[in-house]
Amino acid sequence: MQQAISFERSRLVGVAAATTALGALTGNWAVCYAIGGFGLASYNIWRGTQVARWLTASGPEPALYEGLWAFLVSQIHRERQQNRKNRRDINQLLKRYRDSAEALPDAAVLIDNQRQIQWANSKARELLGIDGVADRGHRVDNLLRDPAVQPLFASHNPVREAQTQSPTDEKVRLTLRLSRFGSGALLVAHDISTILAAQEMRQTFVANASHELRTPLTVIAGHLELMSDDPHTDADTVQSLRSAMRESDRMLMIVEDLLTLTSLEHSQLRDDQCVDIAVAAETRQAIEALTKTPLGAERNIAMDLDPTLRLRGRSSEIMSVVQNLLSNALRHTDAAGQITVRWQRDADGLPTFSVEDQGDGIAPEHLNHLTERFYRVDAGRSREIGGTGLGLSIVKHILSRHGGDLRIDSRLGEGSTFSARFPPLRAR
Ligand code: ADP
Protein backbone atom coordinates (compact mmCIF):
# COMPACT_ATOMS: atom_id res chain seq x y z
CA MET A 1 0.00 0.00 0.00
CA GLN A 2 2.89 2.31 0.89
CA GLN A 3 4.20 1.85 -2.64
CA ALA A 4 0.83 2.87 -4.10
CA ILE A 5 0.69 6.00 -1.92
CA SER A 6 4.26 6.96 -2.93
CA PHE A 7 3.32 6.47 -6.57
CA GLU A 8 0.27 8.75 -6.18
CA ARG A 9 2.45 11.35 -4.44
CA SER A 10 4.98 11.21 -7.29
CA ARG A 11 2.17 11.51 -9.83
CA LEU A 12 0.84 14.61 -7.99
CA VAL A 13 4.33 16.12 -7.81
CA GLY A 14 4.85 15.34 -11.53
CA VAL A 15 1.58 17.02 -12.56
CA ALA A 16 2.35 20.01 -10.30
CA ALA A 17 5.86 20.32 -11.81
CA ALA A 18 4.51 20.03 -15.38
CA THR A 19 1.78 22.65 -14.84
CA THR A 20 4.31 24.97 -13.12
CA ALA A 21 6.71 24.60 -16.06
CA LEU A 22 3.87 25.23 -18.53
CA GLY A 23 2.78 28.25 -16.45
CA ALA A 24 6.35 29.63 -16.53
CA LEU A 25 6.54 29.13 -20.29
CA THR A 26 3.14 30.63 -21.13
CA GLY A 27 2.87 33.09 -18.24
CA ASN A 28 -0.75 31.90 -17.87
CA TRP A 29 -0.50 30.33 -14.45
CA ALA A 30 -4.17 30.11 -13.60
CA VAL A 31 -5.17 28.33 -16.83
CA CYS A 32 -2.22 25.93 -16.57
CA TYR A 33 -3.06 24.99 -12.97
CA ALA A 34 -6.75 24.64 -13.85
CA ILE A 35 -5.81 22.32 -16.77
CA GLY A 36 -3.52 20.27 -14.43
CA GLY A 37 -6.21 19.98 -11.71
CA PHE A 38 -8.95 19.19 -14.20
CA GLY A 39 -6.78 16.52 -15.86
CA LEU A 40 -6.01 14.88 -12.52
CA ALA A 41 -9.68 14.94 -11.42
CA SER A 42 -10.85 13.57 -14.83
CA TYR A 43 -8.30 10.78 -14.65
CA ASN A 44 -9.55 9.78 -11.17
CA ILE A 45 -13.22 9.97 -12.22
CA TRP A 46 -12.44 7.76 -15.24
CA ARG A 47 -10.59 5.19 -13.15
CA GLY A 48 -13.28 5.33 -10.45
CA THR A 49 -15.99 4.73 -13.07
CA GLN A 50 -14.08 1.72 -14.44
CA VAL A 51 -13.76 0.28 -10.95
CA ALA A 52 -17.44 0.99 -10.14
CA ARG A 53 -18.55 -0.71 -13.40
CA TRP A 54 -16.38 -3.67 -12.64
CA LEU A 55 -17.75 -3.87 -9.10
CA THR A 56 -21.34 -3.78 -10.32
CA ALA A 57 -20.40 -6.56 -12.76
CA SER A 58 -21.29 -4.55 -15.87
CA GLY A 59 -17.70 -4.01 -16.97
CA PRO A 60 -14.47 -5.95 -17.39
CA GLU A 61 -11.83 -5.88 -14.71
CA PRO A 62 -9.90 -2.61 -15.28
CA ALA A 63 -6.29 -3.09 -16.38
CA LEU A 64 -4.45 -1.09 -13.74
CA TYR A 65 -0.83 -1.59 -12.95
CA GLU A 66 0.11 1.06 -10.43
CA GLY A 67 -1.19 3.64 -7.96
CA LEU A 68 -3.99 3.63 -5.38
CA TRP A 69 -6.70 2.51 -7.84
CA ALA A 70 -4.59 -0.50 -8.85
CA PHE A 71 -4.02 -1.30 -5.19
CA LEU A 72 -7.78 -1.08 -4.43
CA VAL A 73 -8.67 -3.24 -7.46
CA SER A 74 -6.15 -5.94 -6.54
CA GLN A 75 -7.36 -5.88 -2.89
CA ILE A 76 -11.00 -6.24 -3.95
CA HIS A 77 -10.03 -8.94 -6.45
CA ARG A 78 -8.28 -10.93 -3.68
CA GLU A 79 -11.25 -10.53 -1.29
CA ARG A 80 -13.63 -11.66 -4.03
CA GLN A 81 -11.56 -14.76 -4.71
CA GLN A 82 -11.40 -15.52 -1.00
CA ASN A 83 -15.20 -15.06 -0.70
CA ARG A 84 -15.78 -17.34 -3.67
CA LYS A 85 -13.57 -20.00 -2.06
CA ASN A 86 -15.35 -19.60 1.29
CA ARG A 87 -18.73 -19.93 -0.42
CA ARG A 88 -17.53 -23.06 -2.23
CA ASP A 89 -16.29 -24.51 1.08
CA ILE A 90 -19.58 -23.67 2.84
CA ASN A 91 -21.60 -25.17 -0.01
CA GLN A 92 -19.51 -28.32 0.12
CA LEU A 93 -19.93 -28.53 3.89
CA LEU A 94 -23.68 -27.96 3.54
CA LYS A 95 -23.85 -30.65 0.88
CA ARG A 96 -21.96 -33.05 3.14
CA TYR A 97 -24.40 -32.30 5.99
CA ARG A 98 -27.37 -32.81 3.70
CA ASP A 99 -25.89 -36.03 2.29
CA SER A 100 -25.28 -37.35 5.79
CA ALA A 101 -28.81 -36.34 6.87
CA GLU A 102 -30.13 -38.18 3.79
CA ALA A 103 -28.13 -41.24 4.80
CA LEU A 104 -29.78 -41.25 8.27
CA PRO A 105 -32.08 -44.22 8.90
CA ASP A 106 -34.38 -41.74 10.73
CA ALA A 107 -36.64 -38.99 9.48
CA ALA A 108 -35.23 -35.51 10.25
CA VAL A 109 -37.22 -32.27 9.98
CA LEU A 110 -35.83 -28.83 10.73
CA ILE A 111 -38.39 -26.33 12.01
CA ASP A 112 -38.18 -22.66 12.98
CA ASN A 113 -39.54 -20.97 16.10
CA GLN A 114 -42.96 -20.66 14.41
CA ARG A 115 -42.96 -24.49 13.97
CA GLN A 116 -42.66 -23.96 10.20
CA ILE A 117 -40.80 -26.59 8.21
CA GLN A 118 -37.45 -25.36 6.91
CA TRP A 119 -36.01 -28.59 5.60
CA ALA A 120 -36.64 -32.35 5.74
CA ASN A 121 -34.72 -35.39 4.55
CA SER A 122 -36.20 -37.98 2.21
CA LYS A 123 -36.87 -40.45 5.05
CA ALA A 124 -39.29 -37.80 6.44
CA ARG A 125 -41.45 -38.32 3.33
CA GLU A 126 -41.47 -42.07 3.91
CA LEU A 127 -42.12 -42.06 7.68
CA LEU A 128 -43.97 -38.78 8.31
CA GLY A 129 -45.38 -37.88 4.90
CA ILE A 130 -43.45 -34.58 5.07
CA ASP A 131 -41.87 -33.38 1.82
CA GLY A 132 -38.87 -31.10 2.37
CA VAL A 133 -39.70 -29.02 -0.73
CA ALA A 134 -43.50 -29.11 -1.07
CA ASP A 135 -44.14 -28.69 2.68
CA ARG A 136 -41.55 -25.99 3.27
CA GLY A 137 -43.11 -23.15 5.29
CA HIS A 138 -46.04 -25.30 6.48
CA ARG A 139 -46.52 -25.74 10.23
CA VAL A 140 -45.34 -29.16 11.34
CA ASP A 141 -48.10 -29.46 13.97
CA ASN A 142 -50.69 -29.03 11.20
CA LEU A 143 -49.21 -31.99 9.33
CA LEU A 144 -48.72 -34.27 12.37
CA ARG A 145 -52.18 -34.14 13.90
CA ASP A 146 -52.01 -37.01 16.41
CA PRO A 147 -52.88 -35.47 19.85
CA ALA A 148 -50.11 -37.61 21.39
CA VAL A 149 -47.57 -35.59 19.37
CA GLN A 150 -48.90 -32.08 20.08
CA PRO A 151 -47.29 -31.72 23.58
CA LEU A 152 -43.89 -32.01 21.86
CA PHE A 153 -44.41 -28.57 20.35
CA ALA A 154 -45.90 -26.90 23.43
CA SER A 155 -43.77 -23.99 24.58
CA HIS A 156 -44.62 -24.56 28.27
CA ASN A 157 -43.33 -27.80 29.81
CA PRO A 158 -42.73 -29.40 26.42
CA VAL A 159 -42.19 -33.15 26.48
CA ARG A 160 -39.09 -34.38 24.69
CA GLU A 161 -40.40 -37.64 23.27
CA ALA A 162 -43.70 -39.01 21.98
CA GLN A 163 -44.91 -42.19 20.32
CA THR A 164 -47.21 -42.16 17.35
CA GLN A 165 -48.37 -44.08 14.31
CA SER A 166 -46.82 -43.19 10.96
CA PRO A 167 -49.29 -41.07 8.93
CA THR A 168 -48.14 -42.93 5.81
CA ASP A 169 -48.45 -46.51 7.13
CA GLU A 170 -50.61 -47.42 10.12
CA LYS A 171 -48.51 -50.52 10.84
CA VAL A 172 -45.42 -48.40 11.50
CA ARG A 173 -44.94 -47.05 15.05
CA LEU A 174 -42.59 -44.12 15.58
CA THR A 175 -40.89 -42.35 18.44
CA LEU A 176 -40.58 -38.62 17.81
CA ARG A 177 -37.89 -36.63 19.56
CA LEU A 178 -37.65 -32.83 19.43
CA SER A 179 -34.28 -31.20 20.13
CA ARG A 180 -34.38 -27.45 20.41
CA PHE A 181 -31.41 -25.30 19.42
CA GLY A 182 -31.07 -21.54 18.88
CA SER A 183 -34.46 -20.34 17.67
CA GLY A 184 -35.37 -23.59 15.91
CA ALA A 185 -35.63 -27.30 16.56
CA LEU A 186 -34.82 -30.63 14.96
CA LEU A 187 -37.55 -33.26 14.91
CA VAL A 188 -36.30 -36.82 14.55
CA ALA A 189 -38.63 -39.78 13.97
CA HIS A 190 -37.38 -43.31 14.58
CA ASP A 191 -39.18 -46.46 13.42
CA ILE A 192 -39.70 -48.68 16.49
CA SER A 193 -42.08 -51.20 14.89
CA THR A 194 -39.58 -54.07 15.02
CA ILE A 195 -38.65 -53.34 18.67
CA LEU A 196 -42.35 -53.25 19.61
CA ALA A 197 -43.01 -56.47 17.66
CA ALA A 198 -40.13 -58.20 19.51
CA GLN A 199 -41.44 -56.85 22.84
CA GLU A 200 -44.92 -58.14 22.06
CA MET A 201 -43.52 -61.55 21.11
CA ARG A 202 -41.66 -61.70 24.43
CA GLN A 203 -44.76 -60.68 26.38
CA THR A 204 -46.94 -63.20 24.54
CA PHE A 205 -44.37 -65.91 25.19
CA VAL A 206 -44.21 -65.10 28.93
CA ALA A 207 -48.03 -65.00 29.12
CA ASN A 208 -48.39 -68.34 27.30
CA ALA A 209 -45.66 -70.01 29.32
CA SER A 210 -47.21 -68.76 32.58
CA HIS A 211 -50.65 -70.04 31.52
CA GLU A 212 -49.20 -73.41 30.59
CA LEU A 213 -47.38 -73.67 33.94
CA ARG A 214 -50.32 -72.64 36.12
CA THR A 215 -52.47 -75.79 35.69
CA PRO A 216 -49.76 -78.46 36.25
CA LEU A 217 -48.40 -76.46 39.20
CA THR A 218 -51.85 -76.31 40.81
CA VAL A 219 -52.23 -80.07 40.30
CA ILE A 220 -48.77 -80.76 41.80
CA ALA A 221 -49.54 -78.51 44.80
CA GLY A 222 -52.85 -80.36 45.34
CA HIS A 223 -51.16 -83.79 45.27
CA LEU A 224 -48.41 -82.64 47.62
CA GLU A 225 -51.01 -81.38 50.09
CA LEU A 226 -52.99 -84.65 49.90
CA MET A 227 -49.85 -86.71 50.46
CA SER A 228 -48.65 -84.61 53.39
CA ASP A 229 -52.12 -84.77 55.02
CA ASP A 230 -52.18 -88.58 54.66
CA PRO A 231 -51.83 -90.06 58.19
CA HIS A 232 -49.77 -92.95 56.75
CA THR A 233 -47.00 -90.61 55.57
CA ASP A 234 -44.02 -90.68 57.94
CA ALA A 235 -42.66 -87.49 59.58
CA ASP A 236 -39.52 -87.15 57.42
CA THR A 237 -41.54 -87.46 54.21
CA VAL A 238 -44.07 -84.91 55.50
CA GLN A 239 -41.22 -82.47 56.07
CA SER A 240 -39.93 -83.00 52.53
CA LEU A 241 -43.46 -82.68 51.14
CA ARG A 242 -44.00 -79.41 53.06
CA SER A 243 -40.77 -78.02 51.64
CA ALA A 244 -41.87 -79.05 48.12
CA MET A 245 -45.26 -77.40 48.77
CA ARG A 246 -43.57 -74.13 49.76
CA GLU A 247 -41.58 -74.18 46.52
CA SER A 248 -44.61 -75.00 44.36
CA ASP A 249 -46.58 -72.22 46.11
CA ARG A 250 -43.75 -69.83 45.35
CA MET A 251 -43.72 -70.89 41.71
CA LEU A 252 -47.47 -70.36 41.54
CA MET A 253 -47.01 -66.88 43.03
CA ILE A 254 -44.36 -66.08 40.40
CA VAL A 255 -46.66 -67.34 37.64
CA GLU A 256 -49.56 -65.24 39.00
CA ASP A 257 -47.31 -62.14 39.24
CA LEU A 258 -46.02 -62.71 35.69
CA LEU A 259 -49.60 -62.97 34.42
CA THR A 260 -50.52 -59.79 36.30
CA LEU A 261 -47.53 -57.98 34.78
CA THR A 262 -48.32 -59.14 31.25
CA SER A 263 -51.94 -58.08 31.52
CA LEU A 264 -50.82 -54.66 32.83
CA GLU A 265 -48.39 -54.29 29.93
CA HIS A 266 -50.86 -55.46 27.30
CA SER A 267 -53.72 -53.11 28.09
CA GLN A 268 -54.35 -49.41 28.56
CA LEU A 269 -56.28 -48.23 31.61
CA ARG A 270 -59.76 -47.36 30.38
CA ASP A 271 -61.86 -44.69 32.08
CA ASP A 272 -64.80 -47.08 32.48
CA GLN A 273 -62.56 -49.27 34.69
CA CYS A 274 -61.94 -46.35 37.05
CA VAL A 275 -64.04 -45.39 40.04
CA ASP A 276 -63.72 -42.85 42.84
CA ILE A 277 -61.95 -44.84 45.54
CA ALA A 278 -62.32 -43.99 49.21
CA VAL A 279 -58.68 -44.86 49.71
CA ALA A 280 -58.59 -44.55 53.53
CA ALA A 281 -61.45 -47.03 54.07
CA GLU A 282 -60.21 -49.54 51.46
CA THR A 283 -56.63 -49.38 52.77
CA ARG A 284 -57.84 -49.96 56.33
CA GLN A 285 -59.70 -53.07 55.12
CA ALA A 286 -56.62 -54.33 53.23
CA ILE A 287 -54.46 -53.86 56.34
CA GLU A 288 -56.98 -55.67 58.53
CA ALA A 289 -57.00 -58.58 56.05
CA LEU A 290 -53.21 -58.65 56.03
CA THR A 291 -52.98 -58.72 59.83
CA LYS A 292 -54.98 -61.98 59.70
CA THR A 293 -52.26 -63.65 57.60
CA PRO A 294 -48.97 -65.02 59.04
CA LEU A 295 -47.09 -62.12 57.39
CA GLY A 296 -49.07 -59.37 59.12
CA ALA A 297 -50.09 -61.04 62.38
CA GLU A 298 -49.17 -59.10 65.54
CA ARG A 299 -47.29 -56.43 63.61
CA ASN A 300 -46.96 -52.83 64.56
CA ILE A 301 -48.71 -50.92 61.73
CA ALA A 302 -49.59 -47.25 62.32
CA MET A 303 -52.08 -45.56 60.01
CA ASP A 304 -52.27 -41.92 59.00
CA LEU A 305 -55.06 -41.97 56.43
CA ASP A 306 -56.80 -38.82 55.20
CA PRO A 307 -60.51 -39.84 55.26
CA THR A 308 -61.45 -37.06 52.80
CA LEU A 309 -59.07 -38.23 50.08
CA ARG A 310 -60.72 -39.97 47.12
CA LEU A 311 -58.74 -41.17 44.15
CA ARG A 312 -59.99 -41.82 40.63
CA GLY A 313 -58.50 -45.12 39.49
CA ARG A 314 -58.90 -48.88 39.21
CA SER A 315 -59.59 -50.08 42.71
CA SER A 316 -58.02 -53.56 42.35
CA GLU A 317 -54.81 -52.03 40.99
CA ILE A 318 -54.55 -49.31 43.64
CA MET A 319 -55.09 -51.94 46.34
CA SER A 320 -52.40 -54.10 44.72
CA VAL A 321 -49.99 -51.15 45.15
CA VAL A 322 -51.02 -50.91 48.82
CA GLN A 323 -50.57 -54.67 49.38
CA ASN A 324 -47.25 -54.93 47.56
CA LEU A 325 -45.63 -51.99 49.35
CA LEU A 326 -47.00 -52.99 52.73
CA SER A 327 -46.02 -56.67 52.43
CA ASN A 328 -42.51 -55.63 51.33
CA ALA A 329 -42.24 -53.43 54.46
CA LEU A 330 -43.48 -56.33 56.61
CA ARG A 331 -41.01 -58.77 55.05
CA HIS A 332 -38.02 -56.45 55.39
CA THR A 333 -38.72 -55.13 58.92
CA ASP A 334 -38.30 -57.27 62.01
CA ALA A 335 -41.28 -57.84 64.30
CA ALA A 336 -40.42 -54.97 66.68
CA GLY A 337 -39.97 -52.38 63.90
CA GLN A 338 -42.63 -49.73 63.34
CA ILE A 339 -44.39 -49.46 59.97
CA THR A 340 -46.43 -46.37 59.09
CA VAL A 341 -48.92 -46.32 56.25
CA ARG A 342 -50.13 -42.95 54.96
CA TRP A 343 -52.61 -41.61 52.42
CA GLN A 344 -52.01 -37.86 52.35
CA ARG A 345 -51.31 -35.06 49.93
CA ASP A 346 -47.53 -34.49 49.71
CA ALA A 347 -45.75 -31.11 49.90
CA ASP A 348 -46.63 -30.48 46.20
CA GLY A 349 -50.30 -31.33 46.83
CA LEU A 350 -50.09 -34.70 45.03
CA PRO A 351 -52.25 -37.52 46.44
CA THR A 352 -49.66 -39.90 47.85
CA PHE A 353 -49.68 -43.36 49.38
CA SER A 354 -46.55 -44.05 51.41
CA VAL A 355 -45.20 -46.85 53.55
CA GLU A 356 -42.41 -46.01 55.97
CA ASP A 357 -40.55 -48.79 57.73
CA GLN A 358 -37.70 -49.19 60.19
CA GLY A 359 -36.37 -52.23 58.38
CA ASP A 360 -33.21 -53.29 56.53
CA GLY A 361 -32.95 -50.20 54.36
CA ILE A 362 -31.39 -50.34 50.89
CA ALA A 363 -27.92 -49.21 49.75
CA PRO A 364 -28.09 -46.29 47.23
CA GLU A 365 -26.60 -48.29 44.31
CA HIS A 366 -29.65 -50.59 44.28
CA LEU A 367 -32.36 -47.93 44.37
CA ASN A 368 -32.58 -47.32 40.61
CA HIS A 369 -32.90 -51.06 39.86
CA LEU A 370 -35.54 -52.11 42.36
CA THR A 371 -38.44 -51.88 39.89
CA GLU A 372 -36.70 -54.14 37.34
CA ARG A 373 -38.19 -57.63 37.04
CA PHE A 374 -36.57 -60.13 39.37
CA TYR A 375 -34.13 -57.56 40.77
CA ARG A 376 -33.46 -58.31 44.41
CA VAL A 377 -30.85 -56.83 46.72
CA ASP A 378 -30.39 -60.26 48.27
CA ALA A 379 -31.94 -62.97 46.08
CA GLY A 380 -31.50 -65.75 48.67
CA ARG A 381 -33.12 -63.72 51.43
CA SER A 382 -35.99 -62.61 49.17
CA ARG A 383 -36.79 -66.26 48.33
CA GLU A 384 -36.54 -67.21 52.01
CA ILE A 385 -39.05 -64.55 53.05
CA GLY A 386 -41.44 -65.36 50.22
CA GLY A 387 -40.71 -62.67 47.60
CA THR A 388 -41.15 -63.17 43.86
CA GLY A 389 -38.94 -60.29 42.73
CA LEU A 390 -41.86 -58.88 40.73
CA GLY A 391 -43.77 -56.83 43.31
CA LEU A 392 -42.18 -53.46 42.60
CA SER A 393 -42.36 -54.01 38.80
CA ILE A 394 -46.11 -54.48 39.21
CA VAL A 395 -46.31 -51.35 41.38
CA LYS A 396 -44.38 -49.31 38.81
CA HIS A 397 -46.64 -50.45 35.96
CA ILE A 398 -49.82 -49.70 37.87
CA LEU A 399 -48.55 -46.25 38.81
CA SER A 400 -47.52 -45.41 35.27
CA ARG A 401 -50.99 -46.51 34.00
CA HIS A 402 -52.46 -44.03 36.50
CA GLY A 403 -50.00 -41.27 35.52
CA GLY A 404 -48.19 -41.57 38.85
CA ASP A 405 -44.67 -42.44 39.93
CA LEU A 406 -42.79 -44.24 42.70
CA ARG A 407 -40.27 -42.52 44.97
CA ILE A 408 -37.95 -44.51 47.15
CA ASP A 409 -36.05 -42.97 50.08
CA SER A 410 -33.92 -45.40 51.99
CA ARG A 411 -30.94 -45.61 54.32
CA LEU A 412 -29.10 -48.85 54.81
CA GLY A 413 -29.79 -50.21 58.29
CA GLU A 414 -32.29 -47.45 59.13
CA GLY A 415 -35.35 -48.10 57.00
CA SER A 416 -37.16 -47.06 53.84
CA THR A 417 -40.08 -45.00 52.64
CA PHE A 418 -41.81 -46.02 49.41
CA SER A 419 -44.14 -43.30 48.11
CA ALA A 420 -46.66 -43.80 45.30
CA ARG A 421 -47.58 -40.36 43.98
CA PHE A 422 -50.58 -39.69 41.76
CA PRO A 423 -51.25 -36.69 39.52
CA PRO A 424 -53.59 -34.02 40.98
CA LEU A 425 -56.26 -34.77 38.35
CA ARG A 426 -56.80 -38.18 40.00
CA ALA A 427 -57.78 -36.59 43.32
CA ARG A 428 -61.51 -36.26 43.97
P1 ADP B 1 -39.63 -59.13 46.29
O1 ADP B 1 -40.77 -60.00 45.98
O2 ADP B 1 -38.30 -59.82 46.26
O3 ADP B 1 -39.86 -58.32 47.53
P2 ADP B 1 -39.97 -56.64 44.93
O4 ADP B 1 -39.98 -56.30 43.50
O5 ADP B 1 -41.20 -56.34 45.73
O6 ADP B 1 -39.57 -58.15 45.04
O7 ADP B 1 -38.76 -55.91 45.63
C1 ADP B 1 -37.49 -55.99 45.00
C2 ADP B 1 -36.40 -55.89 46.04
O8 ADP B 1 -36.44 -54.61 46.66
C3 ADP B 1 -36.55 -56.85 47.19
O9 ADP B 1 -36.00 -58.11 46.88
C4 ADP B 1 -35.76 -56.18 48.28
O10 ADP B 1 -34.39 -56.44 48.13
C5 ADP B 1 -35.99 -54.70 48.01
N1 ADP B 1 -37.06 -54.12 48.84
C6 ADP B 1 -38.32 -53.89 48.52
N2 ADP B 1 -39.01 -53.32 49.53
C7 ADP B 1 -38.12 -53.16 50.53
C8 ADP B 1 -38.20 -52.63 51.86
N3 ADP B 1 -39.33 -52.10 52.34
N4 ADP B 1 -37.08 -52.64 52.60
C9 ADP B 1 -35.93 -53.15 52.12
N5 ADP B 1 -35.79 -53.67 50.89
C10 ADP B 1 -36.86 -53.69 50.10
Side-chain angles (χ1 to χ4, degrees), residues 328 331-332 357 362 370 375-377 382 387-389 391-392 418:
N328 272 353
R331 280 201 293 262
H332 294 280
D357 66 52
I362 306 154
L370 292 183
Y375 188 90
R376 289 121 156 176
V377 175
S382 160
T388 61
L392 292 181
F418 285 73

Side-chain angles (χ1 to χ4, degrees), residues 199-259:
Q199 246 175 35
E200 206 168 306
M201 246 167 69
R202 178 181 61 83
Q203 285 167 359
T204 313
F205 170 76
V206 173
N208 289 344
S210 309
H211 263 298
E212 291 299 324
L213 285 171
R214 184 153 61 174
T215 317
L217 272 174
T218 318
V219 174
I220 292 170
H223 282 304
L224 289 173
E225 198 173 347
L226 274 178
M227 283 158 72
S228 73
D229 288 347
D230 187 338
H232 299 111
T233 314
D234 64 83
D236 281 354
T237 316
V238 167
Q239 212 174 354
S240 306
L241 286 170
R242 293 247 160 93
S243 154
M245 272 164 68
R246 272 198 302 280
E247 289 307 312
S248 73
D249 282 351
R250 222 175 64 77
M251 280 173 81
L252 263 172
M253 268 163 54
I254 293 178
V255 164
E256 293 299 341
D257 276 0
L258 276 174
L259 284 169

Side-chain angles (χ1 to χ4, degrees), residues 13-309:
V13 170
V15 170
T19 45
T20 308
L22 210 62
L25 275 176
T26 59
N28 210 339
W29 294 94
V31 173
C32 287
Y33 276 125
I35 290 171
F38 183 74
L40 210 56
S42 303
Y43 172 79
N44 278 320
I45 288 171
W46 172 57
R47 283 304 197 197
T49 309
Q50 273 184 313
V51 173
R53 283 209 182 114
W54 169 61
L55 283 180
T56 53
S58 61
E61 183 176 330
L64 298 164
Y65 306 106
E66 73 294 300
L68 270 178
W69 285 112
F71 173 75
L72 286 177
V73 167
S74 80
Q75 259 328 91
I76 293 170
H77 185 75
R78 209 169 303 147
E79 294 269 314
R80 277 185 158 188
Q81 270 183 335
Q82 189 57 44
N83 279 349
R84 245 178 252 137
K85 187 178 170 309
N86 288 350
R87 217 174 307 145
R88 254 199 324 271
D89 289 350
I90 289 171
N91 281 342
Q92 264 172 11
L93 198 67
L94 210 62
K95 188 173 175 311
R96 278 226 299 280
Y97 273 123
R98 290 204 166 149
D99 288 349
S100 52
E102 286 300 329
L104 277 177
D106 296 337
V109 182
L110 206 60
I111 56 174
D112 65 12
N113 59 353
Q114 304 293 312
R115 303 173 198 169
Q116 284 169 343
I117 295 166
Q118 299 291 297
W119 171 87
N121 67 0
S122 48
K123 200 78 184 169
R125 201 176 320 121
E126 189 188 316
L127 292 181
L128 297 170
I130 291 178
D131 187 304
V133 180
D135 292 324
R136 198 166 169 194
H138 286 282
R139 279 180 62 141
V140 69
D141 47 346
N142 284 343
L143 298 179
L144 304 175
R145 305 207 58 88
D146 181 354
V149 170
Q150 298 299 319
L152 269 183
F153 306 112
S155 35
H156 300 297
N157 302 324
V159 295
R160 297 270 162 260
E161 211 178 275
Q163 268 196 28
T164 184
Q165 209 170 37
S166 165
T168 56
D169 182 350
E170 59 181 30
K171 288 196 288 298
V172 175
R173 296 282 308 170
L174 304 170
T175 48
L176 298 187
R177 189 182 277 271
L178 192 76
S179 315
R180 290 170 198 275
F181 64 89
S183 61
L186 180 68
L187 180 72
V188 175
H190 181 63
D191 183 350
I192 50 162
S193 315
T194 44
I195 301 173
L196 290 183
Q199 246 175 35
E200 206 168 306
M201 246 167 69
R202 178 181 61 83
Q203 285 167 359
T204 313
F205 170 76
V206 173
N208 289 344
S210 309
H211 263 298
E212 291 299 324
L213 285 171
R214 184 153 61 174
T215 317
L217 272 174
T218 318
V219 174
I220 292 170
H223 282 304
L224 289 173
E225 198 173 347
L226 274 178
M227 283 158 72
S228 73
D229 288 347
D230 187 338
H232 299 111
T233 314
D234 64 83
D236 281 354
T237 316
V238 167
Q239 212 174 354
S240 306
L241 286 170
R242 293 247 160 93
S243 154
M245 272 164 68
R246 272 198 302 280
E247 289 307 312
S248 73
D249 282 351
R250 222 175 64 77
M251 280 173 81
L252 263 172
M253 268 163 54
I254 293 178
V255 164
E256 293 299 341
D257 276 0
L258 276 174
L259 284 169
T260 307
L261 255 182
T262 339
S263 85
L264 289 173
E265 281 173 345
H266 266 290
S267 60
Q268 297 275 321
L269 182 65
R270 298 190 316 271
D271 199 48
D272 64 331
Q273 295 173 319
C274 296
V275 290
D276 291 352
I277 311 164
V279 283
E282 292 208 18
T283 302
R284 203 178 293 277
Q285 277 172 19
I287 293 174
E288 271 162 21
L290 209 61
T291 51
K292 291 190 184 111
T293 66
L295 181 65
E298 292 170 30
R299 296 299 299 263
N300 197 356
I301 305 174
M303 288 183 246
D304 176 10
L305 310 172
D306 178 352
T308 62
L309 195 62

